[in-house]
Amino acid sequence: KAGVTQTPRYLIKTRGQQVTLSCSPISGHRSVSWYQQTPGQGLQFLFEYFSETQRNKGNFPGRFSGRQFSNSRSEMNVSTLELGDSALYLCASSFAGTGGNEQYFGPGTRLTVT
Amino acid sequence: EDQVTQSPEALRLQEGESSSLNCSYTVSGLRGLFWYRQDPGKGPEFLFTLYSAGEEKEKERLKATLTKKESFLHITAPKPEDSATYLCAGGSARQLTFGSGTQLTVLP
């Protein structure tokens, strides 16, 4: 079974621009969660989508948004990029979502904002 | 607010020297305690899920245990290939809350 894939793997953007990241979950998984990982804050939860609906959201500003398509693929968008948005963005897929279900992570997208 | 704290931050072991990593958690309505391994530049790799106090799970040289307040990851006779950052996370109905990780280095 293919794992979670994320594209692109690396991205360099300028402050003020916007960016869209993509995630394809494991086949059959309906939940996709997004995380931001930085050396200072560690892994922080952004949001979770399940069957095309945002089910949970972390404590991030509205510049961070996402969506999920009918095939469970998900995108996240960051508008008006700031230097502090430089991070590894990880998505994780799960059959039934957060809680007691295992989440399987993709390799991440390394975003650098200059 | 849910909180997960891991210690130590970093651990250096000689090959074959067994040790334990600690994960203390305060997670409202805990549904599962998860352990992951993360290698540099990669996404976390799932290791274990523990659901209730007293539960234990093993995989090769790793054994995870759970109490009502803590989880331990015991590493028996580690090898250099076990070098990685080990993350624990508490799962509630809303989200996974991660600890900051323990960076393990096993020297040959």
Side-chain angles (χ1 to χ4, degrees):
Chain A
K1 218 177 202 183
V4 178
T5 59
Q6 292 186 245
T7 57
R9 293 293 313 281
Y10 303 92
L11 209 47
I12 300 175
K13 290 286 188 179
T14 304
R15 272 182 303 176
Q17 288 186 315
Q18 74 165 18
V19 66
T20 299
L21 312 181
S22 181
C23 172
S24 292
I26 292 169
S27 178
H29 285 189
R30 295 181 295 170
S31 166
V32 173
S33 296
W34 288 89
Y35 296 84
Q36 180 195 68
Q37 187 173 33
T38 59
Q41 299 296 320
L43 260 162
Q44 293 188 289
F45 172 72
L46 281 156
F47 31 66
E48 182 208 3
Y49 284 86
F50 184 87
S51 294
E52 301 180 65
T53 302
Q54 187 181 88
R55 193 157 67 171
N56 292 299
K57 190 176 190 310
N59 296 323
F60 278 82
R63 299 185 298 106
F64 292 82
S65 62
R67 58 178 176 168
Q68 187 180 33
F69 302 96
S70 58
N71 61 358
S72 293
R73 190 177 70 85
S74 177
E75 290 181 347
M76 69 163 279
N77 184 277
V78 188
S79 62
T80 319
L81 284 166
E82 300 177 359
L83 294 179
D85 296 333
S86 294
L88 181 67
Y89 289 88
L90 294 157
C91 83
S93 82
S94 171
F95 179 73
T98 50
N101 302 288
E102 293 99 43
Q103 296 187 18
Y104 297 90
F105 284 82
T109 294
R110 172 73 62 186
L111 172 65
T112 302
V113 182
T114 63
Chain B
E1 185 180 325
D2 295 341
Q3 200 161 4
V4 176
T5 303
Q6 291 188 248
S7 62
E9 289 185 13
L11 182 63
R12 290 167 68 93
L13 299 173
Q14 289 296 132
E15 185 173 1
E17 179 186 1
S18 301
S19 188
S20 296
L21 313 183
N22 177 264
C23 171
S24 300
Y25 64 90
T26 307
V27 175
S28 179
L30 182 80
R31 294 190 176 184
L33 191 291
F34 301 85
W35 282 96
Y36 288 85
R37 167 191 170 131
Q38 187 173 24
D39 292 297
K42 296 187 176 182
E45 174 191 345
F46 171 76
L47 293 173
F48 303 109
T49 310
L50 301 166
Y51 292 105
S52 57
E55 189 175 1
E56 298 182 353
K57 286 195 177 170
E58 286 188 67
K59 179 181 179 180
E60 295 181 359
R61 296 176 292 282
L62 301 176
K63 183 169 83 172
T65 62
L66 183 66
T67 73
K68 288 188 177 180
K69 294 182 180 180
E70 293 176 305
S71 179
F72 295 92
L73 185 66
H74 307 278
I75 302 176
T76 302
K79 298 181 177 181
E81 53 262 42
D82 294 322
S83 297
T85 296
Y86 291 85
L87 298 163
C88 77
S92 69
R94 283 197 68 247
Q95 64 183 69
L96 279 186
T97 300
F98 279 84
S100 54
T102 294
Q103 186 174 6
L104 174 66
T105 303
V106 181
L107 304 170

